[in-house]
Amino acid sequence: MKNISIVLNAILFVAVAALFFIVLSDGSESDDGADQSKKEKVQDYPIAYVNTDSLLMNYEYAQFLNEELLRKEESSRADFNERAKVFQDDMRAFQRKVQNNAFLSLERAQKEERRLREKEQELQDLNNQLSNDLMKQQNQMNRELRDTITAFLKEYTKEQPFKLVLSNTMGDNILFAHEALNITDEVVAILNERYKGTQEEE
């Protein structure tokens, strides 16, 4: 009877050890399988996104266009400020003459006042024109960049599995996405390489 009890205990110990080993090995395999499945789902999913802020900050052609626009704006503003300074000097001279009764007649004073008002209106019109021109140039630059990036992505997605590429600006459009779906760095690197190629050709 004692021998039977020892044998039963030994069989029970072996069974428990085997069950323990099976449970542990199944758990680790299932975890690995789950991780692999997650990776495959992310890699095989035909959607990616580009962080537009990062793209525009690091794309050398976008930097070049932005610097060009800033140069034009500075040049326009410098010209406008010079004209505004001349107008302000004329206004101060007119006020001094009025205070000192330096005009020979009321008619001469009114004529000078009309001239200065016309000059002021010209400056306002010039300021509006400069603002509109800069806005048009900004819109044109944005269109040019968008067309360049869109044309590139059409070509890029022929070799990549993506069927949809989203734009994400400051996290506005995409609240959460797996980092594997972020193709910004790769897109910037290729675009910069192409831009450098065009610069070397010139």
Side-chain angles (χ1 to χ4, degrees), residues 10-174:
I11 292 171
L12 186 61
F13 176 79
V14 170
V16 168
L19 184 62
F20 189 75
F21 176 78
I22 289 168
V23 167
L24 284 181
S25 63
D26 281 353
S28 63
E29 284 175 12
S30 65
D31 287 347
D32 289 345
D35 288 344
Q36 187 63 29
S37 173
K38 283 180 185 176
K39 286 178 185 175
E40 285 174 2
K41 283 181 182 177
V42 168
Q43 290 168 355
D44 295 342
Y45 215 56
I47 293 177
Y49 72 91
V50 171
N51 186 311
T52 310
D53 294 327
S54 180
L55 172 66
L56 295 178
M57 197 182 310
N58 295 297
Y59 182 21
E60 291 176 14
Y61 182 52
Q63 294 170 5
F64 167 76
L65 290 177
N66 195 47
E67 286 168 7
E68 282 287 297
L69 188 65
L70 286 174
R71 272 196 290 272
K72 288 178 181 176
E73 183 178 7
E74 286 173 6
S75 175
S76 298
R77 288 297 160 200
D79 180 50
F80 176 80
N81 290 339
E82 186 63 33
R83 296 186 189 201
K85 184 177 179 300
V86 171
F87 171 73
Q88 287 168 357
D89 290 344
D90 286 349
M91 278 295 292
R92 280 193 287 269
F94 172 74
Q95 287 166 355
R96 277 196 305 271
K97 285 181 179 179
V98 169
Q99 288 170 358
N100 297 327
N101 291 321
F103 286 104
L104 297 176
S105 66
L106 181 61
E107 185 182 344
R108 290 284 295 272
Q110 289 173 338
K111 185 177 179 182
E112 180 63 11
E113 185 182 7
R114 280 196 302 272
R115 186 186 76 80
L116 289 172
R117 283 184 181 174
E118 287 171 3
K119 199 74 177 170
E120 184 179 23
Q121 185 60 49
E122 285 174 12
L123 277 174
Q124 288 176 356
D125 292 343
L126 178 62
N127 187 42
N128 291 335
Q129 182 187 338
L130 290 175
S131 298
N132 289 335
D133 287 347
L134 286 170
M135 193 178 295
K136 284 177 184 175
Q137 289 171 15
Q138 175 80 55
N139 291 336
Q140 183 180 345
M141 183 188 87
N142 290 340
R143 275 196 306 273
E144 192 171 337
L145 279 172
R146 188 175 60 246
D147 291 346
T148 301
I149 294 166
T150 302
F152 164 75
L153 287 174
K154 281 182 183 176
E155 190 177 327
Y156 176 78
T157 52
K158 288 177 183 175
E159 300 172 2
Q160 302 295 331
F162 306 119
K163 304 296 180 192
L164 177 66
V165 178
L166 302 172
S167 168
N168 190 33
T169 306
M170 295 289 289
D172 285 343
N173 300 322
I174 299 173

Side-chain angles (χ1 to χ4, degrees), residues 170-181:
M170 295 289 289
D172 285 343
N173 300 322
I174 299 173
L175 297 178
F176 172 78
H178 194 287
E179 188 55 32
L181 299 177

